[in-house]
């Protein structure tokens, strides 16, 4: 069996053992992975990066994930809900500035009031933009009926991270109760696909108790699930969360960053035509984190459009960037970063995953 990084990179399909070798690649070897990922990106998705204007709609959450700063058990957070008018203002900004799409993310709620509120909001955004603005939702696990309702109201992509594809690890980072069921989450991903969304998922990298074998399993999970989009980033500790007590067993930040970068690069090589986000968390651990992610395969960036007055309220982790920057500042900043990475911006386009189009054509 071949064990060298170079030999593995020439294989058409990676097995679990191959992924473990790649994820363990040292400083010199990882450059080979990054180079290959850059080539794959260039060939299969090109050098266009798509903007998704991000609105963090609300930090009210019914869940209590052990890693997250806005979990329901954290009583020191002031809870907010962005008004419809403010969301529409962000939508208008996105349109006026040629962002093809928005991402609307929120703490998880399944009550009727919330579901209806989101439905109405989607309809308003669609009306405002004459159906032109693409909408991605990231609102956790919902019933099939809710997913259908939101799809019918104009959302066509959905992000739901699996966080970890290993159920044992999943239950170390979430409470083990009916509200945090691994199986329910897995089923939610299947429902999203059934309803017709472009489906995205992802994991955190460098979690306490996570092994390289877990991460290899995550990559295999993405391939098996045939996902259209991925969003991955390093786990970053937050002092008001239960996982904070394990901060001393975490990988050093630089290692966590490079492991995250390897995950992006390897996934690009494995799933050549999906959309991969250069996530904000990457930038928390490295000032040039997002550019570096773009260079090794990412092709999506989410400039923050949440009204600045709410941003402090959406700190899922510490040292989150762009807390005080207005939409226009993030836009200029990201434009510069994308150019530094040698890419260009796909203004005014939805930039849907090519993988989604291909699987629609083959009809499954
Ligand atoms: N560090 C990094 N990512 C986090 N998320 C939540 N908490 C943290 C953290 N402490 C991520 C989760 C979730 C997404 C919205 O934010 O992966 O799915
Ligand atoms: Fe809520 Fe999402 Fe944070 Fe979990 S990760 S507590 S579901 S906002
Ligand atoms: Fe917000 Fe750089 S992206 S300031």
């Amino acid at each position: 069996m071949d064990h060298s990084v170079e030999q593995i990179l020439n294989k058409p399909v990676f097995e679990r053992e191959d992924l473990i070798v790649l994820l363990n690649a040292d400083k010199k070897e990882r450059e080979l992975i990054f180079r290959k990922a850059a080539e794959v990106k260039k060939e299969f998705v090109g050098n266009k990066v798509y903007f998704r204007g991000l609105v963090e709609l609300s930090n009210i959450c019914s869940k209590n994930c052990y890693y997250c700063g806005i979990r329901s058990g954290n009583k020191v957070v002031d809870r907010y809900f962005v008004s419809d008018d403010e969301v529409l203002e962000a939508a208008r900004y996105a349109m006026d500035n040629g962002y093809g799409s928005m991402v609307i993310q929120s703490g998880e709620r399944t009550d009727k009031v919330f579901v209806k509120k989101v439905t109405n909001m989607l309809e308003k955004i669609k009306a405002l933009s004459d159906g032109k603005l693409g909408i991605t939702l990231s609102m956790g696990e919902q019933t099939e009926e809710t997913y259908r309702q939101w799809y019918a109201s104009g959302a066509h992509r959905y992000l739901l991270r699996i966080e970890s594809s290993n159920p044992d690890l999943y239950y170390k980072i979430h409470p083990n109760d009916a509200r945090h069921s691994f199986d329910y989450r897995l089923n939610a991903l299947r429902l999203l696909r059934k309803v017709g969304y472009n489906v995205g998922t992802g994991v955190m990298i460098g979690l306490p108790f996570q092994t390289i074998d877990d991460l290899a399993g995550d990559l295999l999970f993405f391939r098996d699930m045939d996902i259209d989009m991925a969003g991955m980033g390093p786990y970053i500790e937050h002092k008001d969360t239960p996982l904070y007590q394990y901060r001393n067993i975490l990988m050093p930040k630089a290692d966590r960053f490079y492991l995250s970068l390897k995950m992006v690069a390897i996934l690009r090589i494995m799933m050549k035509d999906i959309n991969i986000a250069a996530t904000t968390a990457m930038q928390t651990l490295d000032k040039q984190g997002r550019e570096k992610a773009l260079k090794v395969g990412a092709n999506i960036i989410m400039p923050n459009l949440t009204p600045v007055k709410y941003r402090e309220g959406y700190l899922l982790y510490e040292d989150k960037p762009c807390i005080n920057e207005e939409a226009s500042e993030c836009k200029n900043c990201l434009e510069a970063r994308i150019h530094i990475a040698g890419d260009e911006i796909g203004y005014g386009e939805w930039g849907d995953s090519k993988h989604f189009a291909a699987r629609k054509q083959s009809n499954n």
Side-chain angles (χ1 to χ4, degrees):
M1 210 180 1
D2 285 333
H3 284 301
S4 88
V5 165
E6 202 168 0
Q7 281 162 330
I8 291 171
L9 288 173
N10 284 324
K11 293 177 71 169
V13 177
F14 299 153
E15 312 291 337
R16 181 180 286 266
E17 301 74 45
D18 301 326
L19 294 172
I20 291 172
V21 174
L22 295 179
L23 288 167
N24 279 319
D26 65 18
K27 216 169 171 174
K28 224 171 104 198
E29 293 169 326
R30 80 183 177 215
E31 292 305 323
L32 299 172
I33 305 175
F34 295 161
R35 203 176 313 149
K36 170 91 180 187
E39 282 166 21
V40 171
K41 176 181 168 186
K42 196 167 168 208
E43 182 179 348
F44 289 85
V45 296
N47 68 344
K48 260 193 200 167
V49 174
Y50 299 100
F51 274 173
R52 317 273 188 239
L54 172 67
V55 174
E56 294 152 333
L57 183 69
S58 171
N59 64 356
I60 304 173
C61 187
S62 61
K63 282 194 159 175
N64 207 13
C65 308
Y66 290 155
Y67 42 85
C68 177
I70 65 167
R71 45 189 266 283
S72 59
N74 185 4
K75 302 299 176 203
V76 301
V77 175
D78 286 330
R79 304 290 165 169
Y80 73 82
F81 210 112
V82 179
S83 73
D84 275 6
D85 284 348
E86 288 167 323
V87 173
L88 290 176
E89 208 175 298
R92 178 164 298 287
Y93 182 91
M95 280 192 323
D96 290 349
N97 287 278
Y99 296 7
S101 303
M102 296 179 82
V103 174
I104 305 174
Q105 188 174 75
S106 173
E108 187 172 316
R109 279 174 58 184
T110 53
D111 55 282
K112 279 207 184 79
V113 174
F114 178 75
V115 171
K116 185 84 186 109
K117 213 170 148 54
V118 172
T119 303
N120 291 342
M121 176 194 76
L122 290 169
E123 283 166 0
K124 286 187 194 170
I125 297 173
K126 279 288 154 177
L128 174 88
S129 71
D130 212 8
K132 288 201 184 75
L133 211 49
I135 305 175
T136 308
L137 290 181
S138 174
M139 309 206 160
E141 296 158 31
Q142 304 288 342
T143 62
E144 179 171 347
E145 194 192 338
T146 300
Y147 285 149
R148 283 196 189 282
Q149 192 175 318
W150 289 346
Y151 187 84
S153 306
H156 81 285
R157 309 185 199 105
Y158 204 102
L159 302 170
L160 179 66
R161 289 190 180 179
I162 191 77
E163 315 295 0
S164 169
S165 63
N166 173 355
D168 291 336
L169 179 57
Y170 191 88
Y171 287 116
K172 286 188 182 133
I173 62 171
H174 297 99
N176 193 342
D177 61 24
R179 214 182 249 295
H180 300 81
S181 152
F182 178 81
D183 292 335
Y184 198 90
R185 194 173 199 86
L186 201 56
N187 192 50
L189 280 171
R190 297 205 173 100
L191 290 177
L192 287 165
R193 180 162 170 139
K194 181 174 157 202
V195 171
Y197 287 93
N198 283 242
V199 180
T201 190
V203 294
M204 284 172 286
I205 297 145
L207 286 160
F209 316 116
Q210 189 180 46
T211 64
I212 290 293
D213 188 58
D214 288 329
L215 291 171
D218 292 337
L219 291 167
L220 295 171
F221 173 85
F222 301 151
R223 188 168 70 195
D224 291 346
M225 292 292 286
D226 196 25
I227 59 168
D228 304 305
M229 324 182 279
M232 296 183 286
Y235 161 71
I236 300 161
E237 56 274 37
H238 187 300
K239 66 177 172 23
D240 301 318
T241 61
L243 286 194
Y244 195 65
Q245 62 187 298
Y246 302 114
R247 64 192 175 283
N248 296 325
I249 63 165
L250 298 175
M251 231 181 281
K253 287 188 172 165
D255 294 359
R256 238 184 289 164
F257 174 75
Y258 277 101
L259 189 54
S260 304
L261 212 52
K262 278 192 269 185
M263 285 288 284
V264 167
I266 298 167
L267 184 60
R268 172 56 71 207
I269 300 169
M270 291 171 75
M271 301 190 76
K272 302 186 178 347
D273 58 354
I274 65 171
N275 277 351
I276 303 179
T279 58
T280 312
M282 299 286 287
Q283 195 180 316
T284 305
L285 293 194
D286 184 304
K287 283 201 170 61
Q288 283 147 28
R290 285 196 267 189
E291 298 85 302
K292 287 181 181 170
L294 291 175
K295 278 198 169 149
V296 304
N299 67 329
I300 299 290
I301 279 216
M302 308 198 310
N304 203 329
L305 296 184
T306 309
V308 170
K309 66 180 186 214
Y310 299 117
R311 299 232 189 134
E312 286 280 357
Y314 207 80
L315 295 184
L316 308 188
Y317 49 84
E318 289 172 4
D319 302 325
K320 201 174 153 208
C322 312
I323 294 309
N324 296 307
E325 280 77 7
E326 294 289 344
S328 58
E329 293 173 78
C330 286
K331 176 174 183 263
N332 294 336
C333 168
L334 289 174
E335 276 176 346
R337 288 172 189 276
I338 288 165
H339 290 135
I340 288 167
D343 281 339
E344 59 182 72
I345 301 160
Y347 280 120
E349 298 174 54
W350 275 13
D352 275 8
S353 147
K354 293 192 173 162
H355 187 77
F356 180 79
R359 88 177 162 76
K360 281 285 125 172
Q361 262 205 334
S362 67
N363 226 349
N364 67 60

